[in-house]
Amino acid sequence: MKKVITVQANTVEEAIQQALTMLDLPIEKVTVKVLTNPGRRLMGLRKVPAEVQVTSIEEVEHIPVEKELSKIEELANLLDEVDISVLQTVNHPVEEKKVETNHTSDRSVACIQDGEVHFRFNDESLPLLIPNENALLTVNGELCTQSTTIQPEDQVTLTICDEVVAPKFTISLIEKDMIALLSFVPGKRIKRSLVNTSWSPRLAIRVEEKVEITNDLKPQQIVDELKQMGIQQGLLFPAIKKVTEVIKPYELIVAKGILPVEGTDGDLEVHIRYEEFDPNSEEKVDFREMNAITNVREGQVIATHVLPVAGTPGQSLLGRKIPVKPVRDIMLRLGKNVQQVEQNIVTLISGKPVLDWRDRLVKIDVNNEFNHPGEVSLESGNIRFEGDVRIGGNVLPSMFVGATGSIFVGGSVTKATIHAMKTVMVRGNVLSSTISVGKQEAAISELAKLLTDVTHLLVQIKEAVDQIFIIRGQGEADLNPSELKRLIHLLMEKRYAQFEDLNKQFIQKVRSQKESLDVEWVNVADSLYDIFINPLNEDMQNMEGFARVVEEAQILVQLYNADSSPQTKLSVPYAINSTLYSNGHIEVFSKGVYHSDLTAEQTIKIKGVCRGGEITAPLAITLQEAGSESPVKTVIRTSAEGCITIGMAYVGTEIYIGTRKHVFTKDATNITARLTTEGEIDLG
């Protein structure tokens, strides 16, 4: 019986060698047929192994597979071994007839014993063989795939097809090429043999299999596959070795890319803590003992500049760099009463520390503190102070209190005026008075908007000058400072006439408020004056000086834009016949307001009643009760994007959202008013 074996391996040579080893035959005694050449499918993502079929040229001795036989099969085998001639001599006619029926009946029969097919023919019929896909039936040299009748003169050969399936693995890249995931299927060795049968006129060839799970995968094969995919780094060798040891389907990560490590932005670590009065607190506060101002001593470290730490870029398994976000540092603006020692911010005087955050800009200073324990009256005089002011008593009629920082009043304010740049907190009532917070911030916001327009035109002028140099093939070195200045002025006259007016407006506004502005505003205004207005100035030698002015103006715009303005706040418990203004927020935290005008650049919140007067804020207004049963005009205004929330609105209360107006004709509750997409007021 000839033997045929099918083997899969990485290469044709490996497959042939494995087949020869299993057949225990040299290459000269076999024929080789290459079924599949090794290669790749699916755009190179799927690896296809080599597959060969090796057939022995000569008959190979069949070693039968031992099989446990049933008692019936054992008796049948004994019967096959009995000599017929002996049976004929026994005087048992009935039994003799049975034997003839089994072996010498009037029909031709066939059987398989010990790997060979045997036939017994007579003249009346022919045996029929039914082939098996794993045992090739060849009759007179021709392969038979259908049931075949056998003639006495036919040469019949059965060839067993053993099979070796190599272990398979695929590697896929996932998570944006950061992980190489290997899926493994073990190989198997299938040993086949013919099943012994009894005599039969219609013999179905049966094959039994013995399957052995194998894994002859080598770590180097996986490494080579990864390298062929372009993966040179990040290999996980313990995982690769584990794949070569398992004998079941398996899936694991065999390579990882380098994950990026995000950096940290610069920051300011503050070493002091202070708590300001919270009007919403339910706790009882002893204003006599409350210290709303935290004092620091001279030489104290109040903060530390934490430097940014750059991130580490990552790398995918295919070598693609994975960038990290650039880190940003804070911009420190130190006041005159602090200094930086290495990364520490140290105070130069004793007083109250002030920290103003504007996005990434931090202004740090220590304000002097003026503590006035009594009343502000004719006896004490008006108070104007560069820093913070704390007043223990009342502010009496016709008196004025002003501060560049914050103001705290422990008593009431009557027919007086209070101005502060940061915050104002009044413990007592406000009667017929004017209080404003952050008007200077409003002026800075106006300056920032004006400088934004100036900077936009500056950039255009610079780009126009650069374009002229390119077109004429000249450099700025070909012009002396006077010629360069003349060129810039010609551009302004012909193409950027509006720049001159905007620039003059900005310079005039800065100079008119010079005493209350930071020096950086003054420096930019002076630079713009020297370049574009002062005819005697020749400091600008080249375009580098022009570019520096543009950069300084851009930084100032970025630092002082409206989105990053500091949060100013005005807090009072009750106000009547008064005018209140805040560049940020206003909060009335007790009884409410009567016949007063309140204006905030962000939000207003009133606990209690709001009867008479006008309330204006662009973002949000929240009132518990608006209007009254008596005919008192109460007007509430917000922007088209704003929202007005009222718990109880009486008849006659007017609300404005953008240009739209609504007057309540009957009492209403739980109102949340805003504009719809169609531009109409929706009362919720």
Side-chain angles (χ1 to χ4, degrees):
M1 179 181 66
K2 294 183 179 181
K3 292 286 288 185
V4 177
I5 186 168
T6 303
V7 179
Q8 292 180 348
N10 288 327
T11 65
V12 172
E13 292 76 11
E14 289 181 15
I16 294 173
Q17 189 58 47
Q18 290 185 31
L20 293 176
T21 302
M22 295 182 63
L23 292 174
D24 195 20
L25 291 174
I27 188 67
E28 297 82 9
K29 294 187 177 183
V30 298
T31 59
V32 177
K33 181 179 180 181
V34 179
L35 302 178
T36 306
N37 283 307
R40 291 182 176 273
R41 305 287 189 271
L42 296 177
M43 301 177 66
L45 299 177
R46 177 183 174 189
K47 186 177 180 181
V48 178
E51 185 174 11
V52 300
Q53 187 179 79
V54 179
T55 306
S56 62
I57 298 175
E58 300 178 354
E59 297 286 334
V60 179
E61 181 182 357
H62 175 73
I63 302 175
V65 180
E66 294 185 0
K67 179 182 178 183
E68 184 177 353
L69 303 177
S70 65
K71 291 183 178 180
I72 300 299
E73 289 174 325
E74 289 178 357
L75 293 174
N77 288 339
L78 290 174
L79 186 60
D80 291 337
E81 296 173 359
V82 175
D83 190 345
I84 297 177
S85 62
V86 174
L87 290 174
Q88 289 176 345
T89 61
V90 179
N91 190 16
H92 294 290
V94 176
E95 292 297 328
E96 181 177 320
K97 186 175 181 181
K98 288 181 180 180
V99 173
E100 285 296 326
T101 300
N102 290 335
H103 298 290
T104 59
S105 65
D106 56 354
R107 302 182 65 184
S108 297
V109 291
C111 74
I112 294 176
Q113 291 293 325
D114 299 332
E116 299 291 340
V117 60
H118 302 278
F119 300 97
R120 288 185 178 178
F121 297 95
N122 60 31
D123 297 334
E124 297 181 2
S125 64
L126 294 173
L128 183 71
L129 291 185
I130 303 173
N132 186 292
E133 62 178 4
N134 293 318
L136 302 179
L137 173 62
T138 305
V139 179
N140 300 325
E142 294 185 4
L143 181 65
C144 299
T145 58
Q146 303 294 330
S147 298
T148 303
T149 301
I150 306 301
Q151 302 288 341
E153 65 275 10
D154 289 340
Q155 296 293 324
V156 179
T157 303
L158 285 177
T159 304
I160 298 298
C161 299
D162 290 344
E163 187 177 355
V164 175
V165 179
K168 299 178 182 178
F169 68 91
T170 58
I171 300 176
S172 56
L173 292 177
I174 60 176
E175 299 294 333
K176 298 182 179 179
D177 300 337
M178 291 298 293
I179 292 177
L181 184 66
L182 182 143
S183 299
F184 171 76
V185 178
K188 56 185 177 180
R189 185 177 288 112
I190 304 173
K191 186 76 173 178
R192 297 186 175 98
S193 61
L194 293 172
V195 177
N196 291 340
T197 67
S198 58
W199 293 99
S200 174
R202 182 182 177 90
L203 179 62
I205 301 171
R206 291 186 293 139
V207 174
E208 60 183 8
E209 298 180 345
K210 184 178 181 181
V211 180
E212 177 187 359
I213 303 299
T214 61
N215 182 3
D216 56 359
L217 191 63
K218 301 295 188 293
Q220 189 60 42
Q221 294 174 248
I222 300 175
V223 173
D224 291 343
E225 177 69 13
L226 289 168
K227 288 183 177 179
Q228 191 168 355
M229 295 173 65
I231 301 173
Q232 302 285 342
Q233 297 179 343
L235 277 61
L236 305 178
F237 289 100
I240 292 174
K241 187 175 185 300
K242 186 172 183 178
V243 176
T244 65
E245 298 172 350
V246 296
I247 55 172
K248 61 180 181 180
Y250 207 68
E251 191 174 73
L252 79 170
I253 297 171
V254 293
K256 286 184 178 180
I258 302 173
L259 292 172
V261 179
E262 295 294 340
T264 55
D265 291 339
D267 202 353
L268 188 70
E269 182 181 356
V270 181
H271 302 310
I272 56 174
R273 184 180 67 180
Y274 56 93
E275 298 178 358
E276 296 187 356
F277 171 62
D278 180 8
N280 294 318
S281 175
E282 297 296 332
E283 298 180 4
K284 186 176 180 180
V285 178
D286 186 349
F287 288 91
R288 295 170 299 177
E289 301 297 332
M290 190 185 78
N291 181 16
I293 301 176
T294 297
N295 288 321
V296 294
R297 64 183 183 277
E298 179 182 351
Q300 182 176 345
V301 177
I302 60 174
T304 299
H305 180 197
V306 180
L307 296 176
V309 178
T312 304
Q315 181 173 304
S316 73
L317 290 171
L318 299 181
R320 177 177 56 85
K321 295 294 183 181
I322 303 174
V324 294
K325 294 180 180 179
V327 295
R328 299 192 304 164
D329 197 4
I330 60 174
M331 301 182 67
L332 287 174
R333 292 290 188 270
L334 302 182
K336 63 182 180 180
N337 294 324
V338 294
Q339 68 176 1
Q340 186 168 352
V341 180
E342 295 181 346
Q343 304 306 324
N344 293 324
I345 311 301
V346 182
T347 61
L348 298 178
I349 65 170
S350 298
K352 179 192 174 185
V354 177
L355 283 81
D356 281 346
W357 286 87
R358 299 171 180 263
D359 192 23
R360 304 302 299 174
L361 170 69
V362 187
K363 288 187 172 185
I364 307 176
D365 203 356
V366 175
N367 281 346
N368 292 315
E369 174 190 338
F370 181 79
N371 192 347
H372 182 71
E375 295 181 334
V376 178
S377 60
L378 293 175
E379 183 178 352
S380 67
N382 295 329
I383 296 176
R384 289 179 174 87
F385 190 71
E386 187 174 343
D388 299 319
V389 173
R390 180 179 178 83
I391 299 170
N394 302 322
V395 180
L396 299 183
S398 303
M399 303 310 297
F400 174 84
V401 179
T404 59
S406 299
I407 296 176
F408 174 82
V409 179
S412 299
V413 179
T414 305
K415 296 183 179 180
T417 302
I418 294 177
H419 292 316
M421 289 183 61
K422 304 301 180 184
T423 62
V424 170
M425 164 67 68
V426 179
R427 176 196 172 189
N429 298 326
V430 178
L431 308 173
S432 303
S433 298
T434 299
I435 301 177
S436 65
V437 181
K439 276 195 172 180
Q440 185 62 37
E441 291 295 339
I444 290 176
S445 297
E446 184 181 353
L447 284 176
K449 292 177 182 178
L450 191 56
L451 185 58
T452 300
D453 297 334
V454 171
T455 304
H456 181 68
L457 292 173
L458 281 174
V459 172
Q460 292 185 23
I461 293 171
K462 181 180 180 301
E463 291 175 350
V465 173
D466 293 340
Q467 191 68 25
I468 290 173
F469 287 146
I470 294 173
I471 293 173
R472 299 193 61 180
Q474 294 180 330
E476 59 179 273
D478 298 327
L479 299 178
N480 60 46
S482 297
E483 292 173 331
L484 180 59
K485 193 168 186 178
R486 179 59 182 160
L487 173 61
I488 292 174
H489 279 276
L490 284 174
L491 281 172
M492 290 167 50
E493 292 173 4
K494 292 184 177 182
R495 297 180 59 180
Y496 305 103
Q498 71 272 34
F499 173 79
E500 186 174 359
D501 291 337
L502 288 173
N503 189 41
K504 287 181 178 179
Q505 288 181 41
F506 174 74
I507 294 171
Q508 290 171 358
K509 285 183 177 294
V510 170
R511 291 185 171 180
S512 65
Q513 305 174 59
K514 185 176 181 178
E515 299 301 323
S516 59
L517 290 175
D518 291 334
V519 67
E520 51 199 353
W521 287 98
V522 179
N523 290 341
V524 170
D526 289 345
S527 297
L528 292 173
Y529 175 80
D530 289 338
I531 294 175
F532 299 104
I533 298 178
N534 187 0
L536 302 177
N537 182 270
E538 297 292 343
D539 290 342
M540 191 182 73
Q541 301 295 318
N542 49 43
M543 288 301 294
E544 290 183 4
F546 189 95
R548 268 196 309 273
V549 174
V550 174
E551 183 180 2
E552 291 172 0
Q554 288 175 327
I555 291 175
L556 210 55
V557 168
Q558 180 182 1
L559 295 179
Y560 289 93
N561 62 64
D563 293 337
S564 60
S565 61
Q567 298 296 310
T568 56
K569 188 173 183 180
L570 168 58
S571 299
V572 299
Y574 171 80
I576 184 170
N577 294 328
S578 297
T579 301
L580 308 181
Y581 170 84
S582 171
N583 188 49
H585 310 277
I586 294 178
E587 183 168 14
V588 180
F589 55 86
S590 183
K591 298 178 182 178
V593 293
Y594 290 80
H595 306 289
S596 297
D597 293 335
L598 280 66
T599 303
E601 299 301 330
Q602 295 189 28
T603 67
I604 293 177
K605 183 177 181 180
I606 299 176
K607 182 178 180 181
V609 300
C610 175
R611 291 182 179 155
E614 189 166 317
I615 312 298
T616 305
L619 300 184
I621 299 174
T622 303
L623 311 173
Q624 271 192 327
E625 187 177 312
S628 67
E629 296 178 354
S630 59
V632 176
K633 186 176 181 179
T634 304
V635 179
I636 305 155
R637 299 179 186 271
T638 189
S639 67
E641 294 75 27
C643 175
I644 298 175
T645 303
I646 306 174
M648 173 67 182
Y650 287 98
V651 173
T653 302
E654 299 179 10
I655 62 173
Y656 290 82
I657 303 180
T659 59
R660 308 299 293 181
K661 174 183 177 181
H662 176 79
V663 180
F664 288 91
T665 57
K666 62 179 180 179
D667 296 347
T669 58
N670 299 324
I671 298 115
T672 302
R674 55 170 57 91
L675 288 185
T676 64
T677 55
E678 291 78 19
E680 300 296 330
I681 293 180
D682 178 13
L683 298 179

